[in-house]
Amino acid sequence: MAAYIIRRLLLVIPTIFGIMLISFAVVQFAPGGPVERIIATMSGSATGADSRIPGGGQAGDFGAQGQLQGSGAADGLSSKYRGARGLDPAFLKSLEEQFGLDKPVHERFLKMLWNYLRFDFGKSYFRDTSVIQLIKEKLPVSISLGLWITLLTYLISIPLGIRKALRDGSHFDLWSSTVIIICYSIPGFLFAIFLIILLAGGSYLDIFPLRGLTSDNWAQMSWGGKTLDYLWHLVLPIISMGVGAFATMTLFTKNSFMDEIRKQYVLTARAKGCSETRVLYGHVFRNAMLIVIAGFPSAFISAFFTGAFLIEYIFTLDGLGLLSFESVFNRDYPVVFANLYIFALLGLVVKIVSDLTYMWIDPRIDFETREV
């Protein structure tokens, strides 16, 4: 086991390197960038998320005033950036230096890797704060969504999946499968909009709050009131995110349970006179739940990081998903690469944790002889 863990940990290094290298290369060839972002803001041609600098910054914050030249410089820097005609080349050069774009590509990449190895993610381009501080500020929202959706998915899907397996082919199994397939086919963000229209004051009922995780007067509430208010704000986002995850986990549990029921050891246990309850929950359950329970760490990380940004945007929840989306859109590369690095590193580590969980649940599994 120790040799396997060491091999997997060593494999993390080239995997992270490859992820960061490919992502960094894609960014270099992608149109636009932080300099173009400032130019568009100054010229008033920015639209959507580009029309303002995150955190309330303005183009003038970068020393843009007085940099327009009536003659229009023919410098290479001016022709390098779209919309830069009429800007002082010295100003463009200062922007490049500020964003670190004046250095060769390979030097920027190697410096980024060295800093990331020390978990030094630098400062955001457009927010006057460090990247790690930004991530810390957004963590509570993402943890709330990821933890609750994972726990509720497991608590509902496992009993339902077992019941469907035991009553396979019955009317209950057929109609519940129909509901599950419909739920799986509905995109979470579309279901979120439907819930807002129906239950959050859109066109019909005004039962649930529309924005944020807490009310404006949350600080003045009692502990009980704070808890209820927090849970009340979570209802619609959790339902929206849980529709697809709930359907997948239910069918996954059912299929896993049915595979175990058909195995020879179940027939042997029944032939020995074991009760059906003992057969199902004393023998079948442990083996059937092996793959389901062992997948809990990766399921949590997946819900924590990957499925939330549209839900966060719709319900105005300021979490990591929304931060990543805005950073990509606004070319805030330090935040983009820091999120990518953390997500990739956590994902790889969680895969190792999942393997160790398999062994903990079933000691018969031996990874020493397994090839990575």
Side-chain angles (χ1 to χ4, degrees):
M1 174 57 67
Y4 171 76
I5 294 176
I6 292 174
R7 291 200 305 268
R8 288 294 300 269
L9 289 175
L10 291 176
L11 189 61
V12 168
I13 298 174
T15 305
I16 286 287
F17 179 84
I19 292 173
M20 299 305 294
L21 177 61
I22 293 173
S23 302
F24 190 84
V26 169
V27 166
Q28 304 310 307
F29 291 103
V35 176
E36 287 90 340
R37 169 91 160 76
I38 298 301
I39 294 172
T41 304
M42 291 172 55
S43 63
S45 60
T47 58
D50 280 331
S51 60
R52 61 180 180 84
I53 297 172
Q58 301 295 331
D61 296 340
F62 295 84
Q65 286 94 342
Q67 301 298 335
L68 295 177
Q69 298 293 320
S71 59
D75 190 272
L77 280 174
S78 297
S79 60
K80 179 179 177 181
Y81 299 108
R82 187 174 65 176
R85 178 180 293 274
L87 291 178
D88 187 352
F91 170 64
L92 297 177
K93 185 174 179 61
S94 68
L95 284 180
E96 284 193 334
E97 292 175 354
Q98 179 177 342
F99 295 129
L101 301 177
D102 57 324
K103 298 179 177 62
V105 173
H106 68 279
E107 184 177 336
R108 300 204 312 266
F109 177 70
L110 293 176
K111 181 180 179 181
M112 181 185 71
L113 286 184
W114 171 245
N115 290 335
Y116 282 14
L117 287 174
R118 297 178 290 123
F119 289 93
D120 178 10
F121 302 115
K123 293 186 65 174
S124 167
Y125 282 165
F126 304 113
R127 305 171 193 253
D128 189 22
T129 185
S130 66
V131 174
I132 197 68
Q133 183 61 35
L134 274 175
I135 293 175
K136 287 180 180 179
E137 291 174 0
K138 314 302 180 184
L139 271 177
V141 172
S142 295
I143 289 177
S144 294
L145 294 176
L147 183 61
W148 282 110
I149 190 60
T150 305
L151 289 177
L152 290 176
T153 297
Y154 271 73
L155 290 175
I156 295 173
S157 298
I158 290 178
L160 180 58
I162 292 174
R163 185 170 179 81
K164 284 176 61 62
L166 297 179
R167 301 183 61 180
D168 183 47
S170 66
H171 289 295
F172 169 79
D173 182 46
L174 293 176
W175 72 257
S176 60
S177 294
T178 302
V179 173
I180 287 172
I181 292 172
I182 293 174
C183 291
Y184 183 75
S185 64
I186 301 175
F189 73 92
L190 195 61
F191 194 62
I193 296 173
F194 169 75
L195 291 177
I196 289 174
I197 295 174
L198 184 64
L199 300 173
S203 298
Y204 299 93
L205 304 176
D206 189 5
I207 300 176
F208 295 97
L210 178 59
R211 300 175 182 274
L213 279 183
T214 57
S215 300
D216 294 336
N217 62 334
W218 188 79
Q220 285 76 43
M221 296 181 181
S222 63
W223 282 107
K226 288 180 178 180
T227 302
L228 291 176
D229 183 72
Y230 165 75
L231 294 175
W232 201 240
H233 280 76
L234 276 176
V235 171
L236 295 188
I238 292 300
I239 292 176
S240 303
M241 291 179 61
V243 171
F246 155 80
T248 303
M249 183 58 66
T250 300
L251 294 179
F252 190 43
T253 302
K254 175 191 174 183
N255 293 335
S256 179
F257 213 84
M258 289 184 62
D259 286 343
E260 292 296 323
I261 290 176
R262 298 185 180 123
K263 290 184 178 178
Q264 186 64 39
Y265 75 88
V266 177
L267 297 177
T268 302
R270 286 171 173 165
K272 288 182 177 181
C274 293
S275 65
E276 192 67 13
T277 300
R278 179 170 176 78
V279 170
L280 293 176
Y281 295 100
H283 297 280
V284 175
F285 182 81
R286 177 181 178 182
N287 295 324
M289 291 299 100
L290 172 63
I291 192 170
V292 176
I293 297 174
F296 181 86
S298 58
F300 172 66
I301 292 297
S302 177
F304 187 18
F305 287 122
T306 60
F309 82 87
L310 281 176
I311 302 301
E312 290 179 8
Y313 184 82
I314 291 172
F315 290 101
T316 321
L317 302 174
D318 197 10
L320 288 176
L322 184 59
L323 174 65
S324 300
F325 172 75
E326 290 182 343
S327 300
V328 170
F329 205 83
N330 292 309
R331 309 299 194 272
D332 197 348
Y333 293 148
V335 181
V336 172
F337 286 118
N339 279 321
L340 177 64
Y341 179 80
I342 293 173
F343 296 171
L345 185 61
L346 280 177
L348 293 171
V349 171
V350 163
K351 292 296 290 183
I352 300 176
V353 173
S354 295
D355 286 346
L356 297 179
T357 308
Y358 276 111
M359 187 200 68
W360 176 67
I361 295 175
D362 190 349
R364 295 172 299 175
I365 297 177
D366 182 14
F367 288 107
E368 287 290 350
T369 58
R370 175 180 170 181
E371 296 293 332
V372 178

